[in-house]
Amino acid sequence: MILLPCPWCGPRDADEFGYVGEMGARPDPRTTTPTQWRDYLYLRRNVAGWTSERWYHRAGCRRYLVVERDTMTNEVRPHPSQPGTIDR
Amino acid sequence: MGDPRWRGRQRPSRYSALALLRHGVAGSPWPPAWRTHELEQSYDVVIVGGGIHGLATAYYLARNHGITKVAVLDKGYLGGGGSGRNTAILRSNYLTPEGVAFYDRSLELYRGLAADLNFNVMFSRRGHLTLAHSDTSLRTMRWRAEVNKVSGVDSEVIDPDDVKRLVPEMDTTDEARYPILGALYHPPGGTIRHDAVVWGYARAADSLGAHLHQDTEVTGIDVSGGRVRGVRTTRGDVAAPVVVNATAGWATLVADMAGVRLPVQTFPLQAAVTEPVKPFLRTVVVSGTLHVYVSQTARGELVFGASVDPFASYSTRGSLEFTEGLAGHVLQLMPSLAKMRLLRQWAGLCDMTPDFAPIMGHTEVDGFLLDVGWGTYGFKAGPVAGETMAECVATGRAPQLISSFGLDRFAQGHLVGEKGAAAVGH
């Protein structure tokens, strides 16, 4: 079982979460070119190792959170930017 | 495999009933199926990835185009990735005209493969059932059947009574949690021995002159002036004007070495196999709603596959969630299997693309070609991928069959949208 550190609910089974994916900065739709926009939509770094990613706690507090995960081992740790991470 | 007695000999002896008898009577050892070589300093074509795709590309390069100064590099052993981890199901009943034409050519090559390679690949045509548990999926099945028929592929929607006739063990009653409303029946579908396909292509490519290098990991790709110059490996540097990325699971990492970014995310797909029992299940059974597919091997084991795991990962560890879900879903289809035991489970890595179609052909780096993004459908496409990639290398142009699978389709917004792929719940 993989536990994800929800900053609001504490460590919970990954089954409760929806996987959103790796973090990427959304370009400004008013100034972006079609190529930049499609790069944002489709291209992925697909890191083999530690990466930051977004999850959605759908069967819990229904809030979005950021975690760090090693994609080779599925080891998970809280993202440093995530405020108020509690450890129950 | 590295038998020095065999070095330098051109063709291995043909496999035949007579050869089997001769070796059996004399008790003489069989020569190894392929040779080992020193890594040369330059090749005309370097193929990264020694699975079905890479080996088939090497074979068709030699057979169809006379290009034999080819190296296939693999960081592990031949067929140790997706080629040895899939559930060995063949079919061509896809949803888009591009997909149908492409996979049908592959099935055609698979059907003649044993004779072509002089290797028993154990192709078994046994029919393929995709179950519909809702009106929506029945409508999709009808759509697929019509697309298939227009392309000349044998495919038809059948009702629950026909399903029961084909698979008497199936629960086709109304009491099921997801009652079976019908199915897409595709008689030409079947199974094949996936390791034999790897070994057959390896032996044939080797006999035509390609060098197969196992335990040879590519650590870098040299690019200068917008052209690929060669690869760096754990066994030394190799110069090559053409490098083909034919990896699965590691496609992004290999493309990164050449500075090419991919719209790929890697997900594990888990599969499992039961203890062997007497043959009872002739047909391949798939349920998109229940995310499970079942077939029985020649040995009698039931092979189960699922859809991809719910999050991206390079880990091939199995999970309890998978086993539990799989058992529940299989028993909904065939309750009489309740006493069967699972022998083992494993996972393979699937490089998923946004439109469930592969990425094939040229890139912005001259000479760096892709045969990646094979998601959950790479095995059944192996022969046609090899044939078309070989043509792509030899002629410098992507053949018609793969012209809609180019990497540039994402920047241009021309996605394929293949909803007939296994990972799609429909």
Side-chain angles (χ1 to χ4, degrees):
Chain A
M1 186 166 70
I2 297 167
L3 292 176
L4 294 187
C6 177
W8 298 282
C9 311
R12 306 289 303 179
D13 187 346
D15 259 12
E16 292 182 8
F17 297 79
Y19 175 69
V20 182
E22 67 184 47
M23 306 280 291
R26 184 172 180 261
D28 185 343
R30 287 164 303 185
T31 56
T32 184
T33 65
T35 308
Q36 285 170 334
W37 186 253
R38 287 178 180 137
D39 283 0
Y40 160 71
L41 283 181
Y42 302 129
L43 295 186
R44 296 288 180 270
R45 286 177 298 127
N46 199 23
V47 175
W50 283 99
T51 183
S52 303
E53 58 192 13
R54 208 183 284 281
W55 290 71
Y56 172 60
H57 199 176
R58 64 181 168 208
C61 59
R62 293 195 270 169
R63 286 203 252 192
Y64 287 87
L65 62 149
V66 183
V67 300
E68 289 186 349
R69 184 169 61 97
D70 185 337
T71 57
M72 300 292 282
T73 62
N74 288 334
E75 189 186 343
V76 177
R77 65 190 180 205
H79 192 268
S81 77
Q82 198 73 65
T85 300
I86 56 168
D87 194 9
R88 275 190 189 147
Chain B
M1 310 292 172
D3 190 335
R5 285 171 300 172
W6 211 64
R7 205 161 279 170
R9 256 179 63 187
Q10 260 311 299
R11 281 195 76 87
S13 56
R14 262 190 81 76
Y15 292 156
S16 66
L18 189 67
L20 185 64
L21 186 71
R22 201 184 305 129
H23 279 280
V25 171
S28 58
W30 291 89
W34 59 84
R35 296 160 283 186
T36 53
H37 300 272
E38 295 301 317
L39 189 68
E40 291 186 10
Q41 289 184 342
S42 83
Y43 288 95
D44 291 343
V45 181
V46 164
I47 298 166
V48 187
I52 288 170
H53 284 246
L55 295 166
T57 304
Y59 170 68
Y60 292 113
L61 270 173
R63 200 197 70 170
N64 295 353
H65 306 284
I67 300 172
T68 56
K69 203 166 159 47
V70 175
V72 180
L73 312 180
D74 198 290
K75 70 173 182 174
Y77 58 94
L78 298 183
S83 301
R85 294 164 187 269
N86 59 77
T87 48
I89 296 170
L90 303 179
R91 66 187 175 95
S92 62
N93 56 350
Y94 275 68
L95 184 59
T96 61
E98 297 96 328
V100 174
F102 185 73
Y103 291 101
D104 201 44
R105 174 65 186 152
S106 207
L107 198 51
E108 191 182 334
L109 287 168
Y110 263 130
R111 274 196 293 263
L113 204 59
D116 188 18
L117 301 180
N118 179 229
F119 204 99
N120 184 6
V121 289
M122 297 169 70
F123 175 67
S124 165
R125 179 185 152 132
R126 41 175 66 202
H128 183 284
L129 276 180
T130 315
L131 303 173
H133 302 269
S134 67
D135 287 343
T136 322
S137 72
L138 200 56
R139 203 154 47 232
T140 312
M141 297 310 157
R142 170 60 65 197
W143 179 10
R144 274 168 72 177
E146 297 309 319
V147 170
N148 292 171
K149 279 187 260 182
V150 165
S151 310
V153 170
D154 190 0
S155 195
E156 189 51 274
V157 176
I158 60 173
D159 65 21
D161 293 340
D162 292 329
V163 173
K164 188 80 181 171
R165 266 191 289 277
L166 282 164
V167 187
E169 288 74 16
M170 191 92 75
D171 179 6
T172 52
T173 62
D174 294 343
E175 277 79 55
R177 170 68 184 83
Y178 296 100
I180 294 167
L181 303 184
L184 182 67
Y185 182 46
H186 176 50
T191 61
I192 199 164
R193 174 92 200 275
H194 54 201
D195 296 320
V197 177
V198 171
W199 300 331
Y201 271 124
R203 175 168 172 272
D206 171 85
S207 77
L208 294 175
H211 285 192
L212 314 181
H213 296 292
Q214 311 189 73
D215 290 320
T216 308
E217 183 174 354
V218 171
T219 54
I221 296 175
D222 291 322
V223 175
S224 64
R227 268 215 64 87
V228 75
R229 306 290 170 182
V231 298
R232 276 167 276 150
T233 80
T234 47
R235 287 171 62 200
D237 297 354
V238 178
V242 176
V243 175
V244 181
N245 178 2
T247 57
W250 315 102
T252 318
L253 307 181
V254 173
D256 280 348
M257 293 176 191
V260 173
R261 292 187 65 197
L262 296 182
V264 161
Q265 272 190 297
T266 302
F267 288 78
L269 189 150
Q270 299 187 49
V273 64
T274 66
E275 58 191 335
V277 292
K278 278 185 183 173
F280 71 94
L281 181 64
R282 179 164 169 76
T283 324
V284 179
V285 178
V286 180
S287 166
T289 306
L290 296 173
H291 301 294
V292 67
Y293 30 99
V294 188
S295 67
Q296 191 170 21
T297 67
R299 258 199 307 255
E301 302 154 333
L302 292 182
V303 181
F304 302 126
S307 53
V308 295
D309 279 4
F311 54 90
S313 177
Y314 287 90
S315 164
T316 49
R317 257 188 248 177
S319 69
L320 186 61
E321 288 88 346
F322 159 78
T323 322
E324 203 178 9
L326 176 89
H329 292 151
V330 169
L331 292 187
Q332 289 197 17
L333 293 178
M334 292 183 255
S336 55
L337 304 186
K339 291 275 160 50
M340 284 188 77
R341 284 167 293 194
L342 284 185
L343 275 192
R344 55 186 187 276
Q345 83 188 77
W346 67 93
L349 296 180
C350 300
D351 285 339
M352 305 305 295
T353 58
D355 58 356
F356 300 97
I359 304 171
M360 301 179 74
H362 299 276
T363 63
E364 66 261 31
V365 176
D366 263 356
F368 182 67
L369 277 70
L370 297 173
D371 173 33
V372 301
W374 280 106
T376 58
Y377 27 87
F379 173 69
K380 60 179 75 68
V384 71
E387 188 183 53
T388 49
M389 285 308 294
E391 187 177 340
C392 206
V393 169
T395 64
R397 287 185 55 246
Q400 176 64 32
L401 217 45
I402 62 167
S403 55
S404 53
F405 298 148
L407 177 61
D408 54 0
R409 73 176 183 270
F410 298 99
Q412 291 165 359
H414 293 150
L415 274 63
V416 180
E418 184 49 82
K419 293 190 187 67
V424 190
H426 49 80

